[in-house]
Amino acid sequence: MKTIGLLGGMSWESTAEYYRLLNELTRDRLGGLHSARCVLYSVDFADIEHLQAEGRWAEAGEVLAEAGRRLEAAGADLVLICTNTMHKVADRVQDALSVPLLHLADATADAVKGAGLTRVGLLGTAFTMEQEFYRGRLAASGLEVCVPDAEGRALVHRVIYEELCRGVVREESRAAYQAVIQELVAAGAQGIILGCTEIELLIGAGDSPVPVFPTARIHAEAAVEAALPAAPRWSWSSPGCGPPAGRPVATGCG
């Protein structure tokens, strides 16, 4: 098995999920006592969040590029940035590496298209929902992307930073997210991308009337496929993902 490098800590709550998923998926593939070969570099998220808030993305990119170099020096054969938002600096990280960076948006787009969908709602940080580094990459793969209105985007962003990144999961926030999802579905979304890895701590398949696409799980599955190239080809088949049988396909995406 190739060694998977995890560039994590943003936040550590979802990075812990990555570690669990990689090991469970490897065990499912190989059986017995097998677990994933991986190395982790975990940054201090307070430092990264400060750079995000001040728009100092070039500096943030340098921090992650150096972390990526250390992962490669530790033996990583491929690297994952364990957060959607920091894919804003994915090109800078890849430029610092001689091994592949497995891009989260590409893995997510493959999962959505594999489920036969073309129009999706996107939940994430304000950076992910509003800027082109992520939405544009999805669109370039042939997907139409809807995001919540300004009030909805503010709500989703606030819950991520003030609650989920701190390990706080509140039923009131789940209900609020469900209301945002309903609005996206009404606007024509055929599925919902959980485009922040922490959202999976709050929202699951049962919280949406259309399929959800949990990006941390998708990323982990794609990584295990890449690390085990001789294994049967990965396909998106997790419960609750892909179009439910008999569900009509929505049209129009406002």
Side-chain angles (χ1 to χ4, degrees):
M1 182 177 187
K2 294 178 181 178
T3 299
I4 301 168
L6 301 174
L7 211 173
M10 301 167 282
S11 67
W12 72 260
E13 298 283 348
S14 62
T15 301
E17 284 296 293
Y18 265 88
Y19 184 70
R20 179 183 64 82
L21 288 165
L22 288 171
N23 283 294
E24 289 181 351
L25 291 164
T26 301
R27 181 189 60 200
D28 291 345
R29 285 285 190 94
L30 301 180
L33 296 176
H34 284 288
S35 55
R37 292 183 182 273
C38 58
V39 292
L40 167 64
Y41 189 103
S42 188
V43 302
D44 183 348
F45 188 36
D47 296 339
I48 299 297
E49 190 277 334
H50 180 69
L51 296 175
Q52 289 176 343
E54 294 194 349
R56 295 158 61 187
W57 295 101
E59 292 175 59
E62 287 302 317
V63 172
L64 296 198
E66 176 58 25
R69 284 189 286 265
R70 294 189 182 195
L71 283 173
E72 185 172 356
D77 298 303
L78 65 153
V79 171
L80 312 183
I81 301 175
C82 301
T83 159
N84 288 270
T85 299
M86 293 312 295
H87 277 73
K88 183 174 174 69
V89 299
D91 289 346
R92 178 67 191 91
V93 176
Q94 180 62 86
D95 288 345
L97 301 172
S98 61
V99 298
L101 176 74
L102 186 58
H103 200 291
L104 181 48
D106 293 344
T108 300
D110 287 345
V112 173
K113 292 188 293 184
L117 307 186
T118 58
R119 298 182 179 92
V120 286
L122 173 64
L123 302 180
T125 67
F127 310 111
T128 300
M129 291 186 288
E130 296 172 0
Q131 298 182 18
E132 281 300 302
F133 72 90
Y134 197 89
R135 293 176 57 179
R137 191 139 180 152
L138 294 174
S141 73
L143 297 177
E144 185 176 354
V145 182
C146 307
V147 297
D149 60 18
E151 182 179 354
R153 295 195 304 273
L155 167 74
V156 171
H157 182 89
R158 180 190 62 76
V159 169
I160 291 168
Y161 280 92
E162 295 182 9
E163 298 176 21
L164 301 179
C165 287
R166 303 168 188 261
V168 176
V169 177
R170 301 173 64 240
E171 288 301 319
E172 296 87 344
S173 296
R174 179 176 288 112
Y177 267 50
Q178 288 173 322
V180 172
I181 289 171
Q182 290 287 354
E183 292 175 0
L184 290 170
V185 172
Q190 302 162 336
I192 303 295
I193 293 175
L194 307 183
C196 173
T197 51
E198 281 81 18
I199 294 177
E200 291 160 59
L201 304 175
L202 180 69
I203 295 295
D207 298 307
S208 170
V210 297
V212 298
F213 294 88
T215 52
R217 174 171 283 276
I218 289 169
H219 210 191
E221 292 209 18
V224 170
E225 180 189 22
L228 295 171
R233 183 168 178 79
W234 165 79
S235 63
W236 181 247
S237 58
S238 297
C241 298
R247 185 180 299 283
V249 176
T251 58
C253 197

